Amino acid sequence: MSGIPPSLEKLAELMAKFPGIGRKSARRIAFSLLDRPREDIILLARAFLDVKDNVRRCPVCNHITESEPCDICQNPRRDSSVICVVKDSMDVLAIEKTTVFHGKYHVLGGLISPLNGIGPDDLSIEPLLIRAKEIHELVFAINSSVEGEMTMHYIRKMLSNCPVSISYLARGIPIGSDLEFVDDATLARALQSRIELKGE
Amino acid sequence: MSGIPPSLEKLAELMAKFPGIGRKSARRIAFSLLDRPREDIILLARAFLDVKDNVRRCPVCNHITESEPCDICQNPRRDSSVICVVKDSMDVLAIEKTTVFHGKYHVLGGLISPLNGIGPDDLSIEPLLIRAKEIHELVFAINSSVEGEMTMHYIRKMLSNCPVSISYLARGIPIGSDLEFVDDATLARALQSRIELKGE
């Protein structure tokens, strides 16, 4: 487009490939560089390469890490007999933030999705099946989307001969939500899974 | 936060300083690096530095450019007697996209905003006043926010002895908008500035 310096357009193009960044915000980011000191930009360029060079997948749980195994896998105070299975590393962070889970994790790296050509072999499922033999409980913290259900079903099937107890996150009304804003499927599930109010 | 490698957190922190990128999307960007080839990341780091090193402000109009003066200022087919005054370079792109403006531009680099400590001297106003002496028309393409009105008022006052004709963008109902979704101030302005429907 007329009026955009080529190097700026090039950067905007590269930035727009990142998740959640559209063409317009990619340009806005590129533009904003002009008002920032060169040292900041060097730091940033360096930070991109540092992540690429230092961060890898934990060989045990597949979570991102700079140490091998990762901090969570290494932590002796965490319960090794419970594994929480999640889609990606962002989910580990979300669960860690709640501070209520004290077991370990397994990051699948995606969900089975035949439409997108993602099969079980593209995910970290085989290592999970091996780990599952040594634990008491496996908790699925996975969305109940078509892909999520498919993935949970596949793993459950593969573990049918394994004595591990399998659970999944409770489905129901989000805390603080008004009933009128909850979707039908969630409301139906919350009704079916209603919890008895016990007397004193 | 537990579970995030320090280099990834560092990058997320730097990215979150960019306009339109929150903490969460900054992390998502940092995470996504892991699945991309190292060469891509080198290209990206290079692109950041290229922008910083090659892109500067046009000494005439203050628009971003790699050449001096910028392509628009250099273009002999553009009308030098009309200058469109905008807040920032993104606005130049927006107007260029319409292809209806054939004059030149002047990028203020912001708007006067006493609350944010931005005065006339922090913007490219002095060079505009000098350029205004040589032109026929100055078009303000500036939002009618408090800051926008203040900036236009200031420039108009400084040009009170200059014979340049001053105009601003028409205010009214956006094309394709339903009346019910238009805010009161815009609707009032559209009524006041109504245009006579002439017969055949």
Side-chain angles (χ1 to χ4, degrees):
Chain A
M1 189 200 283
S2 146
I4 305 190
S7 63
L8 204 140
E9 192 62 349
K10 172 84 193 160
L11 175 61
E13 218 171 79
L14 292 171
M15 287 304 294
K17 287 183 188 161
F18 281 106
I21 298 193
R23 253 205 112 53
K24 218 163 183 173
S25 53
R27 275 208 193 126
R28 197 169 282 283
I29 289 167
F31 270 59
S32 72
L33 291 191
L34 276 81
D35 303 323
R36 298 178 56 176
R38 191 171 193 277
E39 302 82 73
D40 275 19
I41 313 306
I42 293 173
L43 271 182
L44 184 72
R46 191 66 256 160
F48 269 102
L49 287 166
D50 279 350
V51 167
K52 194 63 205 166
D53 293 340
N54 301 336
V55 181
R56 69 212 77 187
R57 298 276 173 193
C58 170
V60 179
C61 72
N62 200 38
H63 184 39
I64 50 165
T65 179
E66 285 186 18
S67 55
E68 290 194 11
C70 75
D71 292 349
I72 297 174
C73 283
Q74 262 184 52
N75 189 338
R77 278 170 308 169
R78 298 197 68 128
D79 183 354
S80 293
S81 71
V82 185
I83 287 180
C84 179
V85 180
V86 296
K87 188 181 82 173
D88 59 38
S89 281
M90 294 291 276
D91 299 333
V92 174
L93 305 190
I95 295 171
E96 282 297 283
K97 234 168 104 184
T98 68
T99 71
V100 300
F101 181 70
H102 306 293
K104 304 210 165 173
Y105 291 94
H106 195 86
V107 175
L108 295 175
L111 297 174
I112 296 175
S113 171
L115 280 177
N116 296 309
I118 303 172
D121 294 343
D122 301 312
L123 306 173
S124 175
I125 290 182
E126 198 55 44
L128 171 63
L129 300 179
I130 295 165
R131 289 179 80 193
K133 289 176 189 151
E134 314 276 318
I135 61 173
H136 287 117
E137 189 184 354
L138 185 154
V139 188
F140 282 119
I142 287 178
N143 227 330
S144 58
S145 61
V146 177
E147 283 88 1
E149 295 291 348
M150 216 183 298
T151 308
M152 288 189 273
H153 178 77
Y154 177 85
I155 295 172
R156 244 174 26 227
K157 218 180 72 187
M158 299 300 282
L159 289 175
S160 52
N161 292 326
C162 178
V164 66
S165 144
I166 297 180
S167 59
Y168 61 90
L169 295 192
R171 316 295 187 187
I173 314 297
I175 310 286
S177 267
D178 274 331
L179 279 200
E180 56 175 323
F181 299 124
V182 173
D183 64 287
D184 296 353
T186 301
L187 196 51
R189 187 68 90 88
L191 269 168
Q192 286 159 352
S193 323
R194 62 192 178 278
I195 298 156
E196 203 190 340
L197 248 181
K198 299 246 173 65
E200 295 284 289
Chain B
M1 187 200 283
S2 146
I4 304 189
S7 63
L8 205 140
E9 192 62 347
K10 173 84 192 158
L11 175 61
E13 216 172 80
L14 292 172
M15 287 303 295
K17 287 182 187 163
F18 281 107
I21 299 192
R23 259 208 105 53
K24 217 164 184 172
S25 50
R27 275 208 193 126
R28 196 169 283 283
I29 290 168
F31 270 58
S32 71
L33 290 191
L34 276 82
D35 302 323
R36 298 179 55 176
R38 191 172 193 275
E39 302 83 71
D40 275 19
I41 312 307
I42 294 174
L43 271 182
L44 184 73
R46 191 67 255 161
F48 269 102
L49 287 165
D50 279 349
V51 167
K52 196 61 204 167
D53 292 339
N54 302 335
V55 180
R56 68 212 79 188
R57 298 279 175 192
C58 170
V60 180
C61 73
N62 200 37
H63 183 41
I64 50 163
T65 180
E66 286 187 17
S67 56
E68 291 194 11
C70 74
D71 293 348
I72 298 174
C73 283
Q74 262 184 52
N75 189 338
R77 280 169 307 171
R78 298 197 68 130
D79 184 354
S80 294
S81 71
V82 186
I83 286 179
C84 178
V85 180
V86 296
K87 189 182 82 173
D88 59 39
S89 281
M90 294 290 277
D91 298 332
V92 174
L93 305 189
I95 295 172
E96 284 296 284
K97 234 168 105 184
T98 68
T99 72
V100 301
F101 181 70
H102 305 293
K104 303 209 164 171
Y105 290 93
H106 194 87
V107 176
L108 295 174
L111 297 173
I112 296 174
S113 171
L115 280 178
N116 296 310
I118 303 172
D121 296 344
D122 301 312
L123 307 173
S124 175
I125 290 182
E126 198 56 42
L128 172 62
L129 301 178
I130 295 164
R131 289 179 81 194
K133 289 177 186 150
E134 314 275 320
I135 61 171
H136 287 116
E137 189 185 353
L138 186 155
V139 188
F140 282 119
I142 287 176
N143 227 330
S144 58
S145 61
V146 176
E147 283 89 359
E149 295 290 348
M150 216 184 298
T151 308
M152 289 189 271
H153 178 77
Y154 177 84
I155 295 172
R156 242 170 30 224
K157 216 180 74 186
M158 298 301 282
L159 289 174
S160 54
N161 293 323
C162 177
V164 66
S165 146
I166 297 179
S167 59
Y168 61 90
L169 296 192
R171 315 295 186 190
I173 314 296
I175 310 284
S177 266
D178 275 329
L179 280 201
E180 57 176 322
F181 300 124
V182 173
D183 65 287
D184 297 352
T186 302
L187 196 52
R189 188 66 91 87
L191 269 169
Q192 285 158 353
S193 323
R194 62 192 178 277
I195 297 156
E196 203 191 339
L197 247 181
K198 298 246 172 65
E200 295 282 292

